[in-house]
Amino acid sequence: MLPAILPSASKIYSTLGNNNSLVPLAIKDVANSIGLTTGSYIVGDQTEGKDRFIDEFGTQAIWLFGIPAYKKLLDLTIFKPLGFDSEIDVRNLKNKDIFEKAKQYAPSDKIKASLEKAGSKQKLFKGLTLAKFGVSTLMTIFTYWGLTKYRHKTTEENIKKELRAKAAAKKQKNADTTFTPQTAPQNIKAFSDVHKKSQKNNSALNFTGRIEDFMFSPVKNLMIVDGAITTERLAESRNKQDFIGYAIKEGSFWAFMYFAGQKIQEHFEKKSEQKYNRSIDLDARVIESEELKKAFKDKTLKNSLKAFENAKTDAEIYEFIMKNPDNFVVQMAKKSDIITTFKKGELKGKVDTRKYIDINEVKGIKEKLEKLHNQYTNSKLHNSKTENEALETFLAQVKKLKRISVIKNIGACIGALGVAAPALMVAMRYIGKDNKDFQVKKDIEKKLAFESAE
């Protein structure tokens, strides 16, 4: 039973190497959160560790599940009562010819009817879709702000409780429990001024470029939320120690969560082609599939590539996809989730025409398969091995290079986020003068002393 439960190697490598998947982001974030929380417990105390734990893992839950959860809520409260199918991707309405074919090739009368309704009320449907994106994003951001207020309040109350308990214990021993009167801590006042300025300068989210890139990419959805989180963390830093820590954390987070991973993968793909003449930019599920090996052997790949060339325009390619489910390019686009199919039920295996098909990505699959095919036919393996041995060796090399690139990529990002960044933050605490102790705790202690002296 266990092998059936565990995901296949191809699925694991495909997921980890997918720049649009949330799984690698979640893995990186967990590593980052564990590293930062551990660092807080090491350099600070239990109070600081708990504060960091709530911040990191609470934020992670909101970051990953906030937008999807609020979108689902809006689907049930707005789209369903109005009779709209929330599964319809509004991008299908951009190209009139493709939208007509989506209705024509709808896998059921119910789906066809839902597409027709969205098409007949395009302005309303587009408006609701845009509103759902905006509202779910803002609600997620507000939820995070609520978590921050809760964390600050909880930490302050815990610290005050601890300090008062210590003061009471000293009093029982007839110790001097009077705090030394002093002026209000300068760092508290300074950062209070910073907060006031930041609150005045905070403006609503301003989308630039193609808004649909952010609306329909789960990763870019998170980038918007992260932009708000980063801004809030820096603006609401409780002291200089807090600010510097967040500057290091957020800087490393943005670098290795959103940008470095793709660049590292592109580096390995380029190196693989230059050094070994092996293309590894296909989805791992394609590279590791038995279907790929079979398609090479029985010439299905070659014939499918040739047949695909007959479709020129986007609408023609869309129709080709619907009419040629057995074409290898189409099959691999489905395997890579570029084309969405039903996974179970009466419609199992059929294309869900409510979902958007990025024709450029389908073309990309075709070009990558063609490049891999040309690399094989032009390789030196043919001269040294039998046809079957040459193919086995070639695909084994491609598979190995793909796996190594994914492992090194995710490993480098986890190392940076889970080890290097937390280590740097700990080092900064030890290097700075009088910076090792939890500054929030020290500030509250001074504040209590100031209040008791009044």
Side-chain angles (χ1 to χ4, degrees):
M1 289 296 293
L2 189 59
I5 296 173
L6 294 175
S8 64
S10 62
K11 178 66 174 176
I12 292 172
Y13 285 106
S14 171
T15 302
L16 293 179
N18 185 355
N19 290 323
N20 287 318
S21 173
L22 298 185
V23 175
L25 296 186
I27 292 173
K28 294 175 191 177
D29 195 39
V30 167
N32 186 231
S33 297
I34 291 174
L36 293 173
T37 302
T38 302
S40 293
Y41 273 105
I42 291 172
V43 76
D45 56 16
Q46 187 173 358
T47 303
E48 181 178 357
K50 185 177 180 180
D51 180 79
R52 176 68 71 178
F53 179 85
I54 294 173
D55 186 20
E56 294 301 327
F57 289 96
T59 299
Q60 184 181 93
I62 294 169
W63 177 65
L64 286 173
F65 305 114
I67 289 180
Y70 284 125
K71 280 185 175 179
K72 190 67 177 178
L73 177 63
L74 293 171
D75 287 342
L76 295 173
T77 56
I78 297 177
F79 279 75
K80 189 173 181 180
L82 291 175
F84 284 118
D85 187 342
S86 60
E87 295 295 321
I88 296 175
D89 193 312
V90 73
R91 288 174 292 180
N92 285 322
L93 300 172
K94 290 193 304 181
N95 187 312
K96 183 180 178 181
D97 293 334
I98 287 180
F99 185 62
E100 289 302 317
K101 293 184 185 302
K103 291 187 289 183
Q104 178 185 346
Y105 293 102
S108 70
D109 291 338
K110 183 178 179 180
I111 289 177
K112 183 177 181 179
S114 68
L115 286 167
E116 288 176 342
K117 178 165 184 176
S120 64
K121 298 183 178 180
Q122 288 193 31
K123 188 174 181 180
L124 176 59
F125 186 73
K126 289 178 180 178
L128 289 174
T129 302
L130 180 61
K132 179 171 72 171
F133 165 70
V135 171
S136 61
T137 301
L138 288 173
M139 289 174 74
T140 301
I141 292 170
F142 290 147
T143 302
Y144 169 73
W145 286 345
L147 173 70
T148 300
K149 298 298 181 186
Y150 165 79
R151 178 172 63 89
H152 287 183
K153 184 178 180 181
T154 300
T155 299
E156 183 174 350
E157 290 301 319
N158 288 338
I159 291 173
K160 285 181 178 179
K161 184 178 179 181
E162 180 185 341
L163 292 174
R164 285 166 179 156
K166 287 182 178 179
K170 286 182 179 180
K171 189 174 182 180
Q172 288 178 355
K173 295 178 180 180
N174 296 321
D176 183 9
T177 59
T178 305
F179 290 116
T180 304
Q182 51 187 298
T183 58
Q186 293 299 312
N187 55 344
I188 292 177
K189 184 179 184 301
F191 274 86
S192 177
D193 293 339
V194 171
H195 297 166
K196 289 176 182 177
K197 289 180 181 179
S198 67
Q199 288 169 357
K200 289 179 181 179
N201 293 332
N202 281 345
S203 59
L205 284 171
N206 181 29
F207 301 121
T208 59
R210 296 174 61 195
I211 192 170
E212 69 176 43
D213 287 347
F214 290 90
M215 287 178 65
F216 300 103
S217 169
V219 173
K220 289 184 178 180
N221 273 189
L222 296 185
M223 287 179 73
I224 296 175
V225 176
D226 258 326
I229 289 174
T230 299
T231 301
E232 195 275 347
R233 277 176 164 169
L234 294 176
E236 292 294 325
S237 298
R238 294 163 291 189
N239 48 61
K240 185 178 179 181
Q241 184 188 81
D242 228 19
F243 184 86
I244 293 174
Y246 278 132
I248 295 172
K249 184 252 189 306
E250 294 301 312
S252 60
F253 187 91
W254 275 87
F256 287 92
M257 190 65 73
Y258 295 117
F259 303 111
Q262 185 170 349
K263 293 298 181 183
I264 292 170
Q265 189 62 33
E266 288 174 358
H267 164 74
F268 285 123
E269 290 173 359
K270 186 177 180 180
K271 183 179 178 181
S272 177
E273 288 203 34
Q274 291 178 341
K275 188 174 181 178
Y276 304 103
N277 193 32
R278 301 290 184 266
S279 176
I280 61 170
D281 53 356
L282 279 163
D283 191 296
R285 286 169 291 186
V286 176
I287 290 176
E288 302 213 15
S289 67
E290 287 298 318
E291 294 97 322
L292 181 62
K293 187 189 300 182
K294 183 176 181 297
F296 267 98
K297 285 182 178 180
D298 62 14
K299 311 300 180 185
T300 299
L301 174 56
K302 183 178 180 179
N303 296 333
S304 293
L305 290 170
K306 186 176 181 180
F308 194 90
E309 292 176 355
N310 295 325
K312 303 297 182 184
T313 67
D314 288 358
E316 288 175 351
I317 292 174
Y318 190 94
E319 186 161 35
F320 180 87
I321 290 168
M322 299 302 165
K323 287 185 173 181
N324 298 274
D326 295 329
N327 183 276
F328 190 72
V329 176
V330 175
Q331 288 180 343
M332 294 303 101
K334 291 177 181 177
K335 186 176 283 291
S336 302
D337 291 331
I338 295 171
I339 300 172
T340 304
T341 58
F342 288 93
K343 306 302 180 186
K344 56 185 178 180
E346 296 179 356
L347 301 178
K348 182 178 180 180
K350 293 187 177 182
V351 176
D352 186 350
T353 59
R354 297 172 300 176
K355 305 297 185 181
Y356 178 67
I357 300 176
D358 191 325
I359 301 300
N360 287 328
E361 288 194 22
V362 177
K363 292 177 183 176
I365 284 281
K366 184 257 182 184
E367 292 167 0
K368 292 171 185 177
L369 285 168
E370 190 169 35
K371 180 168 59 176
L372 192 66
H373 182 267
N374 291 336
Q375 287 173 349
Y376 171 65
T377 56
N378 296 325
S379 68
K380 297 179 181 179
L381 291 170
H382 286 111
N383 300 324
S384 58
K385 299 177 181 291
T386 64
E387 180 70 21
N388 189 57
E389 289 176 327
L391 180 59
E392 291 281 351
T393 302
F394 177 82
L395 292 179
Q397 291 171 348
V398 173
K399 185 188 297 185
K400 182 179 179 180
L401 289 168
K402 180 70 173 183
R403 289 186 174 189
I404 290 173
S405 71
V406 172
I407 292 171
K408 287 184 175 180
N409 187 351
I410 198 78
C413 292
I414 288 175
L417 292 170
V419 180
L424 179 59
M425 291 173 67
V426 170
M428 292 294 291
R429 291 280 291 275
Y430 279 103
I431 293 171
K433 185 180 180 181
D434 299 325
N435 194 39
K436 182 177 180 296
D437 294 332
F438 189 24
Q439 188 62 49
V440 173
K441 190 173 184 178
K442 291 167 68 176
D443 291 344
I444 292 174
E445 187 172 7
K446 291 177 182 178
K447 185 179 179 181
L448 287 175
F450 179 75
E451 290 173 352
S452 65
E454 289 182 335

